[in-house]
Amino acid sequence: MKKELFGKINDREVFLYTLENSHGMKVMVSDFGAVIVRIFAPDKDNHAEDVCLGYDSLEEYQRNGCFFGAVIGPNANRIGNAQYTLEGVTYHLDANDGANNLHSHRDLGVHKRVWDAQEKDGGILFTLKMKDGELGFGGNKDFGVFYEVTENNELRITYDADSDQNTVINMTNHCYFNLDGHGAGSIVSHKLQLLASAYTPADAGSIPYGEIAPVAGTPMDFTEPCVIGERIDADFGQLKMAGGYDHNWVLDNYDGAVRKIAVVTNGSGSRTMEVYTDLPGVQFYAGNFMKKEPGKGGAVYDYRGGLALETQFFPDTPNKPQFPSSVFGPDRHYHTTTVYRFI
């Protein structure tokens, strides 16, 4: 495994680690934020292209307002009114998205911290500790994120966490993909299939109302492959509210086992990515709020220049007892796997 200096933060060295297989797939990750910096993924002709939006420098990742490639935690996505009550105690979070909390904290979440790194079993394990009460979340917590690249052209991400008291844990990776290459322009010509018969409609702050709504007969229906741009600007209230797709889909066949939940293919059909997870939801975000963000190699990432498929527990789950629980603690270890496979 190649290890190279990426920069320094407060005199602490930060590194890039390169994982690769024998088929030309290569993934570069950093111990800063456990962030994914590059994914060189082969196409049908075995031509590898970097399909992950991101930056060239550590300094840019220290800003990273778009959360490119970042591990998010302790809680991904939104919590309404930046608070939740657990076992009679109300926890107050940073109101950083209007009145709501988004991705735990923009500057102090796990995506802005330097993790400890250990080469293990052909992959890289990043670990991090967080004290009881930090960012408004209870429990002394130990986080682990393990990256590996398999001979099946998979990037496998395994998340683990332990807490000495019950708390909310809901981690994800916020990688943005463009299967034509990270600087190739809009992803609206990509074709997407989501194995999800329902989604969670949300209010103007993207907080779910709490209902599970069928996708059938709506522009939210990706149960069969559909070009992303075909209906993204449809006259449909949920799309107008979010400026396009930025919603949680309720994945079919949720039973705690890893199963295929999504397939993405670029417009030419030359590169396909399958997504697998054991989680109940996925946030499909079509880059609706991207605006001329300078990226790697002089690229400029503009409107809808990348898409994210963030596997997760549903947004605002701590305030929605009808949603699958994201409470973990001494009697419930957090362990989940997400796989991005390129074919």
Side-chain angles (χ1 to χ4, degrees), residues 1-288:
M1 182 185 303
K2 183 180 178 182
K3 175 182 176 181
E4 56 190 303
L5 187 66
F6 197 34
K8 290 185 177 181
I9 296 177
N10 297 327
D11 293 326
R12 179 172 176 177
E13 292 183 326
V14 172
F15 295 94
L16 278 178
Y17 300 84
T18 300
L19 309 170
E20 56 187 317
N21 65 15
S22 64
H23 305 299
M25 183 171 171
K26 185 184 300 184
V27 176
M28 301 176 72
V29 295
S30 175
D31 44 12
F32 178 75
V35 68
I36 300 172
V37 177
R38 300 182 186 275
I39 301 175
F40 289 95
D43 64 10
K44 292 180 178 178
D45 296 322
N46 212 34
H47 172 71
E49 193 78 45
D50 184 3
V51 299
C52 166
L53 277 62
Y55 303 110
D56 288 320
S57 73
L58 174 61
E59 290 73 23
E60 290 167 302
Y61 280 105
Q62 288 179 269
R63 298 188 294 270
N64 198 8
C66 294
F67 300 94
F68 288 147
V71 168
I72 307 296
N75 183 78
N77 216 307
R78 293 171 174 86
I79 293 179
N81 294 316
Q83 65 179 45
Y84 66 94
T85 300
L86 177 61
E87 298 173 347
V89 178
T90 299
Y91 294 86
H92 298 276
L93 313 175
D94 186 44
N96 60 7
D97 188 53
N100 305 315
N101 175 263
L102 174 65
H103 296 330
S104 301
H105 200 288
R106 292 184 185 273
D107 298 316
L108 301 174
V110 301
H111 69 293
K112 293 288 183 75
R113 303 191 184 200
V114 181
W115 295 56
D116 293 321
Q118 176 188 354
E119 296 182 26
K120 179 181 177 181
D121 300 329
I124 187 78
L125 174 65
F126 294 121
T127 57
L128 181 74
K129 294 182 180 293
M130 188 172 285
K131 294 179 181 179
D132 179 25
E134 278 193 73
L135 310 185
F137 295 91
N140 294 295
K141 297 171 289 296
D142 293 294
F143 297 107
V145 177
F146 182 61
Y147 289 113
E148 57 186 321
V149 172
T150 76
E151 288 299 304
N152 292 323
N153 288 339
E154 299 170 333
L155 170 60
R156 296 182 64 90
I157 311 174
T158 304
Y159 305 84
D160 285 278
D162 287 298
S163 174
D164 63 0
Q165 61 181 273
N166 284 339
T167 189
V168 169
I169 302 176
N170 178 23
M171 303 179 74
T172 196
N173 190 285
H174 207 303
C175 191
Y176 291 68
F177 297 95
N178 186 320
L179 298 188
D180 288 322
H182 71 93
S186 176
I187 49 79
V188 294
S189 65
H190 284 35
K191 188 177 290 185
L192 173 66
Q193 181 181 26
L194 291 174
L195 302 179
S197 306
Y199 76 109
T200 50
D203 63 19
S206 293
I207 302 298
Y209 294 115
E211 66 175 300
I212 306 294
V215 299
T218 78
M220 314 302 280
D221 189 351
F222 285 93
T223 53
E224 296 295 330
C226 182
V227 174
I228 290 171
E230 185 174 312
R231 299 171 301 186
I232 195 169
D233 295 316
D235 187 11
F236 184 71
Q238 285 292 302
L239 293 179
K240 286 184 170 297
M241 175 272 293
Y245 296 113
D246 187 12
H247 296 77
N248 171 70
W249 270 257
V250 179
L251 298 170
D252 295 340
N253 303 317
Y254 171 56
D255 62 2
V258 175
R259 77 284 191 208
K260 183 163 67 174
I261 60 99
V263 182
V264 188
T265 303
N266 63 353
S268 68
S270 65
R271 184 176 285 109
T272 295
M273 180 179 75
E274 298 176 336
V275 185
Y276 299 75
T277 192
D278 49 13
L279 286 166
V282 65
Q283 187 86 7
F284 164 41
Y285 173 52
N288 309 315

